[in-house]
Amino acid sequence: MAKTLEKHLENVDSELASLILKLSSVAKVISDELPYRRGKADTENVFGEVQLVADKWADQYITNELRESGMVKTLVSEEQPEIVKLNETGTFNITLDPLDGSSNIESNNSVGIIIGIYKKDLPAQGKDMVAAMFILYGSVISLVYAVPNNVSEFINTKRGFVLRAENIKIPEPGILYGVGGLKREWLPEFKKYIEELEKDGQKLRYGGSFVGDMNQILHYGGIFAYPELVTKPNGKLRLLVESNTMAYVIKQAGGASSTGKGSILEVKPESITQRVPTYIGNKELIEKLETALK
Ligand code: P6P
């Protein structure tokens, strides 16, 4: 019988295991609540994006649960303007997108939670992560967690989260590409790079949620990009709460990331709201991308 998440975490540092288990139970509560948390809130986040009722509720719920756990010192959330102090004696510092892709709620497309786990104080470089995880609300609730060189995926069942695969490696060669932003805003050299991918027969898959689009790349290989745009040189995705975490997961699965100039995980953050051009996928495709953008 497939291992439960709890059993699988026996090989992980016990405090980290407790935190991942805590977040897995939080994820199930959020899933149960989503049908009742729809529509727009009357507020905007620090990025000027209209917050949805679900965004704010999920953010507050996770924040409160982490505070009560006593395990977390500080939290950087996409939905909060400043670093949130939780427990002075907490071991971990967390980056959080509490409901990534929430604009997909209306159309019932995939949404999820993106969590970076650090011991170093935030803001820290992505390479300083001790673990990363994401929960994806799709046809099932799946949970992926990554520690150095080991990415494991679990599916929520009547027995709780049960192992689907461990030591996951991004398939080579990758078959998909997914790109955000308006095509007319892409840099010419990036447009040419995408045309080459299409000539090689790579298929377009773009669902409008970073967590869902990155999970496709983890499973089928390829490249995801929210690129540098003519009007937005840093693209759209947030370094701390989105791009670093997925770059870490894909790196542990044998892939790579880039800002167009170098690994996302090496970026020295200047602010908690910093955006970064985001390219994540197979190593070979990232190398070709950096050459194309030179
Ligand atoms: P667009 C969701 O708001 C998000 O931050 C990511 O999850 C997703 O990749 C991107 O924005 C989608 O942006 O411009 O395609 O709506």
Side-chain angles (χ1 to χ4, degrees), residues 65-236:
E65 289 296 302
L66 290 179
R67 180 181 288 111
E68 279 172 32
S69 77
M71 294 188 265
V72 179
K73 191 174 172 190
T74 66
L75 168 71
V76 171
S77 166
E78 181 174 301
E79 302 306 332
Q80 304 200 43
E82 307 291 339
I83 295 183
V84 182
K85 289 185 173 37
L86 295 179
N87 298 286
E88 195 42 49
T89 55
T91 302
F92 301 105
N93 296 295
I94 301 282
T95 60
L96 174 69
D97 187 345
L99 207 55
D100 176 63
S102 53
S103 54
N104 278 351
I105 287 178
E106 180 64 29
S107 54
N108 197 28
N109 290 94
S110 58
V111 297
I113 308 172
I114 303 175
I115 301 159
I117 302 172
Y118 297 75
K119 289 192 172 175
K120 277 195 174 179
D121 286 349
L122 296 175
Q125 288 175 283
K127 66 181 181 181
D128 293 327
M129 235 173 277
V130 296
M133 65 187 281
F134 64 84
I135 291 96
L136 183 58
Y137 298 118
S139 50
V140 293
I141 306 176
S142 59
L143 179 150
V144 167
Y145 84 83
V147 290
N149 302 310
N150 193 346
V151 178
S152 305
E153 181 180 41
F154 301 79
I155 303 291
N156 190 42
T157 70
K158 294 190 181 79
R159 290 175 58 220
F161 281 104
V162 168
L163 183 67
R164 186 200 66 77
E166 59 189 351
N167 296 315
I168 299 172
K169 294 302 170 197
I170 184 170
E172 295 277 354
I175 61 170
L176 301 182
Y177 76 93
V179 185
L182 293 174
K183 207 164 188 170
R184 66 170 185 250
E185 300 250 321
W186 297 352
L187 301 182
E189 52 272 35
F190 179 68
K191 257 185 219 162
K192 199 169 171 325
Y193 170 79
I194 294 297
E195 284 159 10
E196 290 303 308
L197 293 187
E198 286 178 337
K199 276 190 208 137
D200 295 344
Q202 304 221 191
K203 280 195 291 189
L204 170 59
R205 285 283 183 280
Y206 184 74
S209 94
F210 185 43
V211 60
D213 287 333
M214 281 309 328
N215 197 45
Q216 285 188 120
I217 299 299
L218 178 64
H219 281 258
Y220 305 121
I223 184 167
F224 171 89
Y226 209 108
E228 171 183 351
L229 301 174
V230 172
T231 54
K232 293 180 189 159
N234 290 321
K236 173 180 184 182

Side-chain angles (χ1 to χ4, degrees), residues 25 36 55 78 165 204 246:
S25 58
Y36 314 103
D55 285 327
E78 181 174 301
L204 170 59
M246 288 307 187

Side-chain angles (χ1 to χ4, degrees), residues 47-60:
F47 301 98
E49 297 162 338
V50 172
Q51 290 176 305
L52 300 182
V53 169
D55 285 327
K56 291 183 75 172
W57 178 80
D59 181 60
Q60 281 311 309

